[in-house]
Amino acid sequence: MDRFADALPRYAMAVAAHLALVLAWYLFVKLGNVPKFVMPSPVETANALLVPNYDWWKNALLTATEIYAGYGIGVVVGVALALAFTWSKTLEAFFMPLLVSLNMIPKVALGPLIIVWFKYGVLPNTLIAFSICVFPILLTAARGLRETEPELLDLVRSLQGSRWQLFVKIQLPGALPYIFSGMKVGAILAVAGAIVGEFLGSDRGFGYLMLQVQVTLDTPAMFMAVILITLIGVALYGLVLGMEKLLVVKDARLD
């Protein structure tokens, strides 16, 4: 209860900031007589949810699946590669420059190739989300694993501890603040990656829906799609924050 009471002012400020943004949006549209096709009011945007042809919840489920699946794979692969690189300097020297070069490829340029290889659907969009979010997770996890005190590692080795025990008992707990820092960045990038994939080639999802309603200048539907994408991303980010609070003590967090 004490922890919740301490955090309550921060939550209240966050809610107040969002309500202030909605109010400013409403006043800007109404007082400025802004046309609906340029910027709809919050009420007009909410009314877009009543249009049944847009299949809001099916599109939400598909987009969320792409984001969460790509992000989950990115976390697993990023941490696994970071661990492999800390175990083998040769492996890191060989693969890290290659990964840096591959990460420099614009994902918008890579997207059409992924679609050619895997066609339309959830898989290519998931892969694009993965390709965007995995690198920051890898870099921060690798840094965190290297920050372990050498004396602790030598102690476990002297007790005949295996590499896995070394990772689970010593390296992972110490690296968690860095891993979660990368995970928070990756959560933001995963959302962008999935939507980029849907823009490039998809027949479902919010990215596809936004392209469809753009033709008819249904701006309220476009705004609502953006809001729902944001809510999916905020839910993912909140999940990561919740896990961080459970697994990392407050003083050890990086932000």
Side-chain angles (χ1 to χ4, degrees):
M1 289 296 294
D2 292 339
R3 187 177 299 177
F4 177 77
D6 293 340
L8 188 59
R10 293 181 57 190
Y11 294 142
M13 289 293 290
V15 172
H18 286 79
L19 292 176
L21 176 62
V22 174
L23 178 61
W25 173 15
Y26 177 82
L27 293 175
F28 175 77
V29 172
K30 290 302 179 183
L31 298 180
N33 291 320
V34 180
K36 178 180 176 180
F37 71 89
V38 175
M39 179 178 286
S41 70
V43 176
E44 292 168 335
T45 300
N47 288 336
L49 285 174
L50 302 178
V51 180
N53 295 337
Y54 293 154
D55 289 330
W56 289 107
W57 308 119
K58 289 182 180 179
N59 287 318
L61 179 61
L62 183 85
T63 299
T65 299
E66 294 166 352
I67 292 171
Y68 281 68
Y71 177 74
I73 298 170
V75 171
V76 173
V77 172
V79 174
L81 286 176
L83 178 60
F85 290 163
T86 58
W87 283 352
S88 173
K89 296 297 183 182
T90 302
L91 203 64
E92 180 182 16
F94 184 83
F95 280 106
M96 184 59 83
L98 177 61
L99 292 174
V100 171
S101 298
L102 291 175
N103 192 63
M104 294 302 170
I105 300 174
K107 301 308 180 289
V108 175
L110 188 63
L113 288 174
I114 294 178
I115 292 170
V116 168
W117 294 333
F118 299 101
K119 304 188 184 299
Y120 295 141
V122 174
L123 179 58
N125 298 334
T126 299
L127 290 176
I128 295 174
F130 158 76
S131 67
I132 290 182
C133 75
V134 66
F135 198 67
I137 297 173
L138 165 61
L139 289 181
T140 53
R143 181 184 175 187
L145 291 171
R146 291 194 195 97
E147 291 291 323
T148 307
E149 295 182 11
E151 293 80 5
L152 288 175
L153 298 178
D154 293 338
L155 175 62
V156 176
R157 291 191 185 102
S158 66
L159 297 174
Q160 306 299 316
S162 65
R163 279 185 171 182
W164 180 250
Q165 290 174 323
L166 205 67
F167 170 67
V168 173
K169 300 294 185 182
I170 303 297
Q171 290 180 297
L172 181 60
L176 280 178
Y178 294 90
I179 293 174
F180 275 107
S181 179
M183 287 173 64
K184 285 183 278 190
V185 175
I188 299 170
L189 296 177
V191 176
I195 300 304
V196 165
E198 291 181 351
F199 279 155
L200 292 175
S202 182
D203 57 357
R204 291 177 295 169
F206 284 141
Y208 170 78
L209 178 62
M210 290 177 69
L211 293 178
Q212 296 303 303
V213 298
Q214 181 185 28
V215 177
T216 59
L217 287 180
D218 191 348
T219 313
M222 294 181 66
F223 267 70
M224 180 50 65
V226 171
I227 291 171
L228 292 176
I229 292 167
T230 303
L231 290 176
I232 293 172
V234 168
L236 176 59
Y237 194 85
L239 178 62
V240 175
L241 285 180
M243 292 174 59
E244 183 182 33
K245 288 182 178 180
L246 286 174
L247 298 176
V248 182
V249 296
K250 185 175 181 179
D251 293 339
R253 297 171 200 159
L254 298 183
D255 46 18

